Amino acid sequence: MNRAYEVIIIGGGPAGLSAGLYASRARLSTLLIEKGIIGGQIANAAHVENYPGFPDGISGLELTQAMHRQAKKYGLETVAAEVIGITLNERGKVIKTTEGEYRAKAVIIAVGAEPNRLGVPGEEKFLGKGVSYCATCDGPFFKDQMVAVVGGGDSAVEEGVLLTRFASKVILIHRRNRLRASRLLQERAFANKKIEFLWDTVVEDILGPDRVRGLRVRNVKTGDRSTLEVSGVFFYVGLHPGTDYLRGLLPLDEEGHIPTGEGMETEIPGIFAAGDVRKNSPRQVITAAGEGATAAISAEKFLSE
Ligand code: NAP
């Protein structure tokens, strides 16, 4: 495989795939590097209903597979590898990966974000044994069982509603008494008889011993502790970008997001960022796609200067 490209895109979610479509359609030699499955986080979503053009919704996998096919049609190449560092030299940018080094004149970082761990005892031990971060992937294993969802954002509420297709009951545990999720999702959750809300409550411990059998929870207002008998717990307590390897190269905010200008440019000429990894990104599929396209247009301009 060629090791030198005009544009290298890191990350194969909607931002990276849109950047790939725009860059390859601009006839720039373009490589997309993805460490996991092409499609990113949204590929796990059973139903995406706010991507314009699909009035009946579309599965995240179908949507991202179509994005990939479209970009490939114009010549986008992809490689499965994990990026471990980027360095700069007089010939451009060197991208170090688990599969060797690649060189590019312009780089678009679109690595998205990964689910946060809550950090409670049992979380690692019972991963895949009742602890999950993906209701679409693992929901069917909990048919007619009681499960808990932790968090109060769009993900927790949306995935909580999805889980009611399988589980006998979903207990949504939130640390405050008000959801952060959008109104539409809240309405759906409140109307769903299978969802019970546990407000002002945090999880302190996941109980085993062999797999998840329950949760020890604490009411943050009263301090009361109780035990919930559930066979699964789904955590949706926010996302963080996996950008540790960029520290020292680019300025990052505390959580690791990359600040950019309007054209998705970073502080380093020829390096752009798009999608959930970007500071202040609205973190929607449609905005990620738009940011990816913008980054590719900016990269094209950079290359022609
Ligand atoms: P989020 O919006 O950051 O929400 C995280 C939730 O976890 C919050 O309710 C937060 O509580 C809670 N939380 C955080 N740390 C916690 C801790 N240590 N202990 C207990 N609870 C904790 O994350 P998200 O729901 O994954 O959404 C991420 C982005 O994707 C958002 O911009 C969202 O709009 C977008 N999204 C959109 C859709 C859609 O459009 N259909 C679907 C999914 C996600 P507090 O509320 O108290 O802070």
Side-chain angles (χ1 to χ4, degrees):
M1 182 191 269
N2 192 0
R3 295 251 162 198
Y5 292 82
E6 286 171 295
V7 180
I8 286 187
I9 298 160
I10 309 172
L17 292 170
S18 297
L21 170 64
Y22 272 72
S24 23
R25 220 174 148 268
R27 292 278 177 259
L28 301 171
S29 62
T30 308
L31 176 72
L32 185 149
I33 304 175
E34 166 60 56
K35 69 173 177 183
I37 293 165
I38 297 271
Q41 283 278 326
I42 198 67
N44 291 327
H47 195 64
V48 178
E49 57 183 27
N50 53 5
Y51 195 84
F54 298 93
D56 302 320
I58 182 167
S59 85
L61 190 63
E62 257 183 276
L63 178 63
T64 50
Q65 282 178 342
M67 287 180 179
H68 188 199
R69 275 201 307 281
Q70 195 173 354
K72 273 202 300 196
K73 203 168 121 182
Y74 296 98
L76 177 72
E77 290 178 34
T78 53
V79 65
E82 183 169 359
V83 174
I84 45 187
I86 301 177
T87 53
L88 310 175
N89 67 23
E90 62 293 341
R91 290 165 68 202
K93 286 94 188 158
V94 179
I95 291 96
K96 293 188 177 154
T97 81
T98 47
E99 302 302 313
E101 289 187 358
Y102 295 89
R103 265 184 301 115
K105 291 180 182 147
V107 174
I108 298 172
I109 302 167
V111 294
E114 293 161 13
N116 288 340
R117 301 282 202 245
L118 185 60
V120 286
E123 193 173 359
E124 296 299 328
K125 181 175 168 196
F126 298 125
L127 184 63
K129 293 177 182 161
V131 169
S132 173
Y133 302 85
C134 179
T136 310
C137 325
D138 299 328
F141 297 122
F142 296 90
K143 200 161 164 17
D144 300 326
Q145 298 174 45
M146 236 160 70
V147 299
V149 169
V150 183
D154 281 338
S155 299
V157 175
E158 193 164 57
E159 302 300 300
V161 170
L162 175 87
L163 281 167
T164 60
R165 286 197 210 162
F166 314 106
S168 55
K169 190 164 158 192
V170 175
I171 304 171
L172 197 142
I173 304 170
H174 186 31
R175 63 180 174 183
R176 293 187 291 141
N177 62 1
R178 227 169 136 186
L179 296 173
R180 175 183 293 279
S182 68
R183 278 196 196 170
L184 180 87
L185 293 176
Q186 292 196 29
E187 282 166 18
R188 263 185 214 161
F190 291 140
N192 192 312
K193 300 256 178 325
K194 279 188 168 182
I195 300 184
E196 190 180 294
F197 294 86
L198 207 51
W199 302 112
D200 301 314
T201 300
V202 293
V203 174
E204 287 193 326
D205 202 358
I206 303 172
L207 310 173
D210 51 338
R211 52 162 298 115
V212 175
R213 303 279 173 193
L215 300 176
R216 181 130 44 236
V217 297
R218 178 173 54 87
N219 183 300
V220 291
K221 288 202 169 143
T222 62
D224 289 348
R225 290 190 163 83
S226 54
T227 300
L228 293 178
E229 276 184 30
V230 291
S231 42
V233 56
F234 292 79
F235 291 105
Y236 290 104
V237 290
L239 307 166
H240 67 275
T243 49
D244 281 350
Y245 63 87
L246 294 173
R247 284 199 190 277
L249 175 74
L250 283 172
L252 305 175
D253 73 5
E254 246 177 52
E255 290 169 326
H257 297 102
I258 305 171
T260 66
E262 273 180 15
M264 307 298 131
E265 71 280 7
T266 67
E267 270 199 1
I268 298 180
I271 299 190
F272 305 86
D276 287 12
V277 72
R278 204 175 64 80
K279 186 175 178 186
N280 294 335
S281 166
R283 298 190 288 183
Q284 304 292 309
V285 187
I286 182 64
T287 56
E291 291 176 15
T294 305
I297 292 166
S298 298
E300 187 188 0
K301 225 189 253 170
F302 168 80
L303 292 170
S304 64
E305 275 165 4

